[in-house]
Amino acid sequence: MATKPLKGILKKPRPSPAQIETNEKQQRHRQVVEAAVRDKVDKDKTVFQLQELFLETVSPSLLEAALLIFKPDNYVDVVEERVCAHVCGYPLCSNEMSGGYPKAGPKYRISLSRRQIYDLTERKLFCSDKCCADSHLFSRQLSDEAPHLRPDKNFATARAIIADTRAAIGVPSVVRGSNDMVLVKKDMTPRVSDKKMEIIRSEERR
């Protein structure tokens, strides 16, 4: 005797209105989190692109952009990378530094006449006392607020400056958000003059 199929046994029960509302809230929360993550990635990428440009060229407009989106740590990275490339750490100075990154030695110098203590480690990152003082003054103006928490208008201005600077020095790239970024890969190694290369080679032979 043939048995009749049981209707409705495999059907999933319909979610209650409360369950539907909960699911919708969870979906909205996921969308908010995903948007926040994308925004942070975009802004961190812009910070990195600005750091790269400080190794490529000397431009006051880049410092204006840095004031909008840099933390002090971001600026310290720029100074140290410039010194490693044998250039004065202050971004508005193009003087070459043959010593490279400072080696171990005395950390402080005491001036009895001025009654001040100088941090020699920081001073060795710059070609002159003026560059050291100017860099320190600029660093003190930077906000400690995380870049991704800064207003979107700050990043819009910074991205415009980055795009203009890239165009001026011939870097073929477009700086926008992650959803529409077009970036042509380019060797971002700091430009090194023949004289600087000779200094680097002489140090490597020692």
Side-chain angles (χ1 to χ4, degrees):
M1 181 178 178
T3 58
K4 295 182 179 181
L6 298 177
K7 296 182 179 180
I9 291 181
L10 300 179
K11 289 184 178 180
K12 294 182 179 180
R14 292 184 178 180
S16 65
Q19 288 176 325
I20 293 176
E21 183 179 358
T22 299
N23 293 339
E24 289 177 349
K25 286 183 179 179
Q26 291 176 343
Q27 184 176 2
R28 287 195 296 269
H29 177 71
R30 282 195 299 270
Q31 291 172 346
V32 169
V33 172
E34 290 172 357
V37 170
R38 286 194 299 269
D39 182 66
K40 183 179 184 303
V41 170
D42 286 345
K43 290 179 176 178
D44 286 346
K45 187 177 296 183
T46 301
V47 168
F48 179 70
Q49 290 169 341
L50 181 57
Q51 288 177 313
E52 285 183 323
L53 279 181
F54 276 118
L55 304 179
E56 285 282 317
T57 186
V58 175
S59 171
S61 62
L62 293 181
L63 287 184
E64 296 175 11
L67 282 173
L68 296 174
I69 65 175
F70 266 15
K71 288 179 58 179
D73 288 349
N74 301 134
Y75 180 69
V76 169
D77 290 341
V78 168
V79 172
E80 292 180 347
E81 287 297 323
R82 286 174 59 85
V83 174
C84 288
H86 297 263
V87 183
C88 176
Y90 185 47
L92 292 187
C93 179
S94 58
N95 289 340
E96 298 181 358
M97 296 178 63
S98 59
Y101 201 82
K103 300 177 181 179
K107 187 173 182 180
Y108 299 102
R109 183 184 71 193
I110 300 175
S111 173
L112 298 178
S113 60
R114 296 185 179 182
R115 296 183 179 180
Q116 291 182 349
I117 299 176
Y118 294 91
D119 187 342
L120 294 181
T121 304
E122 181 180 5
R123 170 61 182 84
K124 291 177 181 178
L125 301 177
F126 307 95
C127 68
S128 66
D129 290 338
K130 184 180 184 305
C131 282
C132 181
D134 289 346
S135 179
H136 186 63
L137 177 62
F138 176 78
S139 179
R140 288 169 56 188
Q141 299 178 58
L142 297 174
S143 172
D144 288 321
E145 183 181 31
H148 69 276
L149 299 179
R150 310 280 177 94
D152 290 341
K153 63 180 181 180
N154 285 24
F155 278 85
T157 301
R159 285 167 181 150
I161 292 174
I162 291 173
D164 290 344
T165 305
R166 284 178 179 269
I169 64 177
V171 179
S173 62
V174 179
V175 182
R176 293 198 288 261
S178 63
N179 293 333
D180 57 355
M181 171 169 282
V182 179
L183 179 60
V184 179
K185 290 186 178 180
K186 175 182 179 293
D187 183 9
M188 295 302 292
T189 304
R191 296 169 183 170
V192 181
S193 65
D194 293 339
K195 177 181 178 183
K196 194 183 301 180
M197 281 300 301
E198 183 61 30
I199 294 172
I200 295 173
R201 292 193 187 100
S202 64
E203 288 184 354
E204 290 176 348
R205 288 194 293 266
R206 293 176 183 174

